[in-house]
């Protein structure tokens, strides 16, 4: 009887200890789980967990199934902020104003930061810091590659993602500034020799196949188009074969800089596509590094330590000539 009571007491203690042993969550909410860019962030998060297995905190990665589900991301942010084990949160806002409103409504007491994409400048006070790419610089570098290839200018179409994604808008602005030599132009109409054609920019909601179809349509409507500026690598990594099918007939023109394509990111098939000569230049982010660093930054914020704002993760630049060595190891 005494042995039975002892076992019952041990079992009760074990059950009681369960909730106390549950780890506090360092939550990363991304735009969508269907995007390989965000999967790289996930892998960085998981590496942090493996290296910090004894920590009382764990990195928890989540997001809506589709990058086009802006409301779904906002709902996940709201739900995770209501959980008592959420200790801090890093958000990649698909719709920056919507996420800002969600944060305002939740009025969280835990540290909030952004990763990969930031809130708009007027809402920056809602988060402690931004970790990720210098998106303006990224767009500027894309523009510099395009301008170097065609110094006399020409006609161009910009391919963008979500019209409310702050990171993409900053890249597009950086590209326009580099091409025009001026700052802050909303569209190019001959400045620096560059003109954006009718129907552009095209917003694809981060959908690769939609991006390739948009470029197909733009080329059909503008057979003398000189360049594409692609602000996210969705057409290349999201629909690599349709992208190849579209631009293989133009490989010789791309090689001679008669047609120029500057694109963001260096994930999936993108570097292989550069090696094949089907893109002029790639300017890539470092999503794995974002996912790996985010938990440590969140812990610093929890501990009220000084954290820089922003925290930039650097860029990789790839061309056909540098494709074998361009990615940071």
């Amino acid at each position: 009887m005494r042995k039975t009571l002892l076992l019952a007491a041990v079992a009760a203690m074990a059950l009681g200890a369960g909730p106390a042993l549950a780890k506090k969550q360092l939550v990363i909410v991304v735009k969508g789980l269907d995007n390989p860019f965000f999967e790289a962030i996930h892998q960085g998060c998981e590496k942090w967990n493996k290296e910090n297995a004894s920590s009382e905190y764990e990195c928890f990665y989540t997001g809506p199934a589709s990058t086009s589900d802006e409301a779904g991301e906002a709902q996940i942010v709201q739900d995770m902020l209501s959980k008592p084990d959420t200790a801090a949160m890093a958000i990649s806002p698909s719709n920056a104003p919507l996420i800002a409103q969600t944060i305002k409504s939740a009025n969280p007491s835990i540290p909030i930061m952004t990763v990969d994409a930031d809130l708009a400048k007027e809402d920056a006070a809602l988060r402690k810091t931004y970790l990720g790419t210098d998106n303006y610089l990224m767009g500027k570098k894309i523009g510099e590659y395009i301008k170097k290839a065609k110094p006399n200018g020409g006609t161009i179409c910009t391919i963008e993602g979500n019209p409310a994604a702050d990171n993409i808008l900053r890249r597009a602005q950086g590209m326009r500034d580099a091409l025009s030599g001026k700052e802050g132009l909303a569209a190019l109409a001959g400045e620096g020799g560059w003109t954006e054609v009718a129907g552009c920019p095209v917003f694809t909601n981060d959908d690769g196949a939609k991006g390739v179809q948009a470029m197909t349509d733009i080329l059909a409507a503008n057979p003398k188009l000189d360049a594409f500026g692609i602000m996210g690598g969705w057409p290349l990594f999201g629909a690599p074969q349709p992208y190849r099918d579209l631009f293989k007939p133009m490989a010789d023109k791309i090689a001679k800089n008669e047609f120029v394509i500057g694109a963001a990111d260096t994930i999936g098939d993108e570097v292989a596509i550069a090696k094949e000569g089907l893109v002029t230049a790639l300017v890539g982010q470092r999503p794995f590094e974002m996912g790996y660093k985010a938990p440590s930054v969140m812990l610093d914020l929890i501990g009220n330590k000084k954290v820089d704002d922003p925290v930039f993760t650097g860029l990789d630049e790839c061309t056909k000539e540098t494709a074998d060595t361009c990615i940071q190891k």
Side-chain angles (χ1 to χ4, degrees):
M1 178 69 176
R2 185 175 296 173
K3 183 176 180 180
T4 301
L5 290 172
L6 180 61
L7 289 171
V10 170
M13 288 175 64
L15 288 171
L21 293 174
K23 293 196 174 192
K24 299 173 186 175
Q25 305 290 300
L26 305 171
V27 178
I28 298 177
V29 183
V30 298
K31 298 176 184 178
L33 304 182
D34 58 341
N35 188 322
F37 179 91
F38 296 118
E39 179 55 28
I41 290 180
H42 184 202
Q43 293 305 314
C45 168
E46 289 303 317
K47 181 183 179 184
W48 188 92
N49 282 337
K50 289 177 183 177
E51 292 181 358
N52 296 273
S54 62
S55 173
E56 64 178 306
Y57 296 90
E58 71 175 354
C59 182
F60 181 78
Y61 170 87
T62 187
S66 170
T67 50
S68 63
D69 189 1
E70 300 171 8
E73 183 186 28
Q75 186 63 54
I76 288 170
V77 168
Q78 182 176 315
D79 292 346
M80 295 306 298
L81 286 175
S82 70
K83 292 182 179 294
D85 56 353
T86 299
M89 184 178 291
I91 310 168
S92 175
S94 178
N95 184 318
L98 177 60
I99 294 299
Q101 186 55 53
T102 303
I103 295 170
K104 289 176 187 176
S105 299
N107 192 26
S109 58
I110 62 169
I112 302 294
M113 62 178 284
T114 49
V115 61
D116 164 57
D118 204 359
L119 298 176
K121 290 180 181 178
E122 59 267 26
D123 294 318
L126 295 171
R127 90 295 186 268
K128 299 294 186 182
T129 189
Y130 162 75
L131 167 68
T133 302
D134 183 339
N135 286 290
Y136 177 83
L137 178 62
M138 183 183 192
K140 192 170 185 180
K141 284 185 176 291
I142 291 172
E144 287 170 352
Y145 275 108
I146 295 171
K147 188 173 184 177
K148 182 180 178 181
K150 292 192 79 68
N152 295 324
T155 53
I156 187 169
C157 180
T158 308
I159 305 299
E160 301 186 31
N162 185 303
D166 182 76
N167 59 333
I168 303 301
L169 297 176
R170 292 191 191 197
R171 290 177 203 170
Q173 192 61 63
M175 186 195 73
R176 291 188 181 101
D177 290 0
L179 291 175
S180 67
K182 299 180 180 181
E183 294 186 358
L185 294 174
L188 301 180
E191 297 85 357
W194 288 96
T195 299
E196 293 182 71
V197 298
C200 296
V202 176
F203 295 97
T204 66
N205 289 320
D206 299 5
D207 186 313
K210 188 174 180 180
V212 173
Q213 185 59 55
M215 289 190 290
T216 302
D217 295 342
I218 290 295
L219 284 169
N222 301 271
K224 294 185 179 180
L225 187 77
D226 293 297
F228 278 117
I230 306 174
M231 299 299 102
W234 323 287
L236 291 85
F237 66 67
Q241 195 53 52
Y243 178 92
R244 285 183 170 102
D245 292 342
L246 177 61
F247 289 108
K248 272 183 181 178
M250 301 176 67
D252 189 53
K253 292 182 69 176
I254 295 170
K256 295 177 180 177
N257 289 332
E258 293 174 4
F259 192 85
V260 183
I261 306 172
D265 299 324
T266 51
I267 58 177
D269 276 17
E270 286 196 84
V271 177
I273 287 171
K275 197 170 182 178
E276 293 161 23
L278 300 181
V279 64
T280 306
L282 301 171
V283 180
Q285 307 174 80
R286 296 173 180 167
F288 181 89
E289 186 177 344
M290 295 178 202
Y292 180 65
K293 283 187 173 181
S296 296
V297 175
M298 283 189 271
L299 285 178
D300 285 345
L301 293 174
I302 291 169
N304 292 314
K305 295 181 181 179
K306 179 175 172 54
V307 174
D308 290 338
D309 180 21
V311 180
F312 289 138
T313 48
L315 296 166
D316 295 314
E317 300 175 38
C318 300
T319 64
K320 182 178 181 178
E321 293 73 27
T322 65
D324 290 329
T325 58
C326 62
I327 303 298
Q328 180 199 47
K329 302 298 182 184

